[in-house]
Each structure stands twice: as structure tokens, then as C-alpha cells.
Amino acid sequence: MGNADIAEELVRVLQRPDGDKMLRPVHSVGISATGFFAPSPIARNFCAADHFCSDRSDVIVRFSNGSGAAAVHDGWSDVRGMAVRFHLRDGTDTDLISMTLPEFFAPTPEAFLDFAEMAAPKPYKGQTPWQKIFGLLHLILPMRDPYPGETISPDAGAIQFADENAFAQLGVLQAADIGAPVSYVREAYHAVHTFVVTGLDGTKRWVRFSWQPIAGVLKTDPTEPPVDDYLRQELKDRLADEPARFSLMMMIGEVGDDFNDSARPWPPHRQRIMMGMLTLDAVPVDQDAACEKLSFNPGLLTEGIALSDDPVLKVRVDAYQVSSKWRGATPCPFSRR
């Protein structure tokens, strides 16, 4: 099965029974904000892309819940997303797609499809107290209790896949314990995949990007009942009062790091460069026109940044295009891929 076929099958498999085919198959519920990105003084030394060499670039950002459910469940433990589109001086755009999970679940497109199929939501059965005690005695973490109104869940399938595939264990474990944020702008977001950046002197580096919130990371209290819908209003209220900011950090890979497997983390002591500051100061009134019809894509790049040979990154480029077409979104502007 080729990448195009896998991408189409991925989009089909990722669509949940409680989702909506007119929405994205994952990260279905979200909200956009606008602002600008200002590069750090040293950013151009490492990457010649326009948004690292200009004084500032306007941006639109879409924050989202990871689930493909059409209903809003902000208080549920879930991987959140942050898609940033930079508007460049020549009229083109470039995207950076990230999520709150530092690693991915699979190293190849085929494994990614296998994971998606096994982790498809199934009826949530939960565990009895005796089953939890039995598991703890065998050093097995108990499954969480279902949230009020939660009838289907991908947890059991994802855990089974991780039990059978060691490469998925770190990602699945982190996702299981990720919690819910008090705000979209109080989470750290990771682009996960490796990209190749070229400096003004022609030097190429293999890097991974992450957004770090200036306000700090803060989760909700897991002992309190989850609130369904608060993140979008919280963002509106926050930006009406003051801007929110993120620093863009770039980790530089070294010999021995795996540049093509996003399921494998790099050592934490790798060199990090502060590439710039993102400032968000407004929420568009018409969310559908401003953002929901946009087609973000990790492959929408500009001169100075290129895809690595990570095969999952490449199939995600195709999958985003398939999703865009199926939901009738504005086609992805691959004018400078």
C-alpha cells in the first residue's frame, strides 16, 4: 500500500462514530487566535526562512482538543493541538503543526495505520475495583474510570497496541496521563517530527521545534469533576484582557539521534535555540471564515526549512490534504513546497 492509499485509509479510520465528517477527523473542536511572531536576534543564524529573518510576521493559530468527537469535552484528559500559520512577506504562508505530546505513536506509516485501527473507539467498559487491585498487584496501572457521559474510548485499543509494540509505549503512556489544561495558552506544544533547517551560511541542521508558554504549564485538578466547555471562552476572556505569548524553541540533533523516527525522543541535553516570540492578541469573531475552513499542513514549508526523511511526517502531509478535500475546506496552498 502506497503513501497515498495509507493516507486516505488513515483519514477514514480516524473518523469517530461520534464525530462529524464536515469537521477534521481528529482535533475536531478548536478555536483560532491572531497575532504576530518576532524572531530572536540569532534566529537567522540558524535558519534562513523568511519568518526568522524579517522583523515580524503576522500569524493565525488554531488551538484544538485532540479528540475527533464533535461534542466539546475540554475537561477530559486529551492531547491538545496548536497549528500556527505564518504569513510571509512575499504573500505565501508556512505552517508549524504541534501537539502537547512530545513523541508520536509509530515510526512508519504502516504502523501508524495499525495503531489507528486498533485504537479506534470502542464501548467503554471500565474496570471493577477488584480488577484494579489485581492489576496493581501485577504492577499494571489501572484504567481510569469513564467520564460522565463517556460511552466509547480509544484507551483499551491503544494500550493493547502498546503492549504488543514497544515503540508505542512511551507515547501511549504519556497520552494516558496528560490531563487537561486550564487554558490553551498554558500548555507546551511539540512539533514532534524532525525538520531540516538551512542557515544563511548554507549550514544544514536537523531540528525539532516546540512552543513553550510564557505563562507556564498548568493543568486542571484531576480530582475535580471535568467541565465540558471552558477553553474557548477562557481564551477569549484572556486575550481581551492581555496578550498571550509563547517562545519557539529549536532543539538541534546530533550524530546518533534518530532523525526519521518521531516515536524516539532525543536526549534532553541537546542544544536548544530560542528562535522567537509568538504574541497572540485577538480572537476572530467569525471562526468559520477565519480558521475552520483553513487547511493547515506540516508540509507547507518555505525556503530554509525542509521535511526530513521521517516517513510518518510525509504520510501526514498526504493525510492532511485528504482530510481537507473530504470536509470541503480551502485547499492547502502548497505554493512553495
Side-chain angles (χ1 to χ4, degrees):
M1 188 182 291
N3 258 23
D5 294 330
I6 292 176
E8 189 158 332
E9 186 66 7
L10 272 170
V11 175
R12 186 192 67 79
V13 170
L14 289 170
Q15 288 174 327
R16 290 172 54 119
D18 57 352
D20 185 334
K21 291 187 177 180
M22 296 308 295
L23 302 176
R24 293 166 172 85
V26 292
H27 296 279
S28 301
V29 173
I31 184 172
S32 65
T34 55
F36 62 91
F37 175 79
S40 69
I42 63 170
R44 65 180 62 205
N45 297 339
F46 295 89
C47 184
D50 183 75
H51 52 306
F52 295 127
C53 295
S54 60
D55 291 335
R56 57 181 270 178
S57 304
D58 290 336
V59 301
I60 186 163
V61 176
R62 183 178 187 266
F63 295 104
S64 59
N65 296 343
S67 168
V72 182
H73 298 299
D74 289 344
W76 293 13
S77 180
D78 194 7
V79 176
R80 316 291 156 157
M82 179 180 177
V84 181
R85 173 157 294 175
F86 303 85
H87 303 304
L88 307 180
R89 288 177 291 184
D90 64 359
T92 62
D93 300 317
T94 187
D95 290 349
L96 184 61
I97 314 297
S98 55
M99 62 178 178
T100 51
L101 196 65
E103 288 82 34
F104 207 63
F105 303 105
T108 66
E110 293 79 9
F112 182 16
L113 180 57
D114 290 342
F115 171 78
E117 290 175 333
M118 190 169 288
K122 299 175 180 64
Y124 203 115
K125 297 179 180 178
Q127 290 180 306
T128 67
W130 288 113
Q131 288 174 319
K132 293 180 180 182
I133 293 171
F134 178 84
L136 288 171
L137 290 174
H138 291 78
L139 303 181
I140 300 172
L141 290 176
M143 292 179 63
R144 63 172 176 81
D145 293 328
Y147 295 114
E150 185 178 21
T151 59
I152 58 174
S153 171
D155 292 358
I159 292 170
Q160 181 183 346
F161 185 86
D163 285 343
E164 299 172 4
N165 298 275
F167 57 75
Q169 290 173 359
L170 181 59
V172 169
L173 178 62
Q174 290 176 333
D177 194 40
I178 204 164
V182 301
S183 169
Y184 279 131
V185 301
R186 301 209 59 181
E187 278 279 19
Y189 297 86
H190 312 274
V192 178
H193 301 285
T194 301
F195 293 85
V196 183
V197 299
T198 304
L200 291 174
D201 62 356
T203 300
K204 293 184 182 295
R205 296 176 175 88
W206 277 252
V207 304
R208 291 181 177 178
F209 293 100
S210 64
W211 294 104
Q212 299 296 326
I214 300 304
V217 173
L218 184 62
K219 306 284 187 178
T220 59
D221 185 346
T223 65
E224 296 293 327
V227 179
D228 274 341
D229 191 354
Y230 66 91
L231 286 172
R232 292 178 293 182
Q233 189 60 51
E234 193 280 338
L235 185 66
K236 294 176 184 178
D237 294 342
R238 179 183 290 265
L239 297 191
D241 185 49
E242 61 180 1
R245 294 181 173 87
F246 289 85
S247 61
L248 179 60
M249 304 303 297
M250 185 176 77
M251 178 187 284
I252 300 176
E254 298 181 8
V255 173
D257 295 338
D258 197 327
F259 300 152
N260 301 322
D261 184 353
S262 53
R264 294 186 64 184
W266 291 354
H269 57 271
R270 290 290 177 258
Q271 182 182 16
R272 286 176 169 85
I273 307 298
M274 198 283 207
M275 296 296 285
M277 185 72 68
L278 173 70
T279 300
L280 300 176
D281 52 21
V283 173
V285 175
D286 189 341
Q287 286 286 308
D288 191 61
C291 186
E292 290 307 298
K293 288 297 184 182
L294 287 185
S295 298
F296 293 96
N297 195 297
L300 181 59
L301 304 176
T302 189
E303 186 176 351
I305 305 180
L307 299 173
S308 66
D309 290 329
D310 183 342
V312 174
L313 174 57
K314 292 181 178 180
V315 81
R316 287 185 70 194
V317 171
D318 292 339
Y320 274 68
Q321 289 182 284
V322 172
S323 171
S324 172
K325 181 180 178 180
W326 284 14
R327 65 187 178 87
T330 305
C332 197
F334 280 106
S335 56
R336 297 189 62 176
R337 259 185 65 188

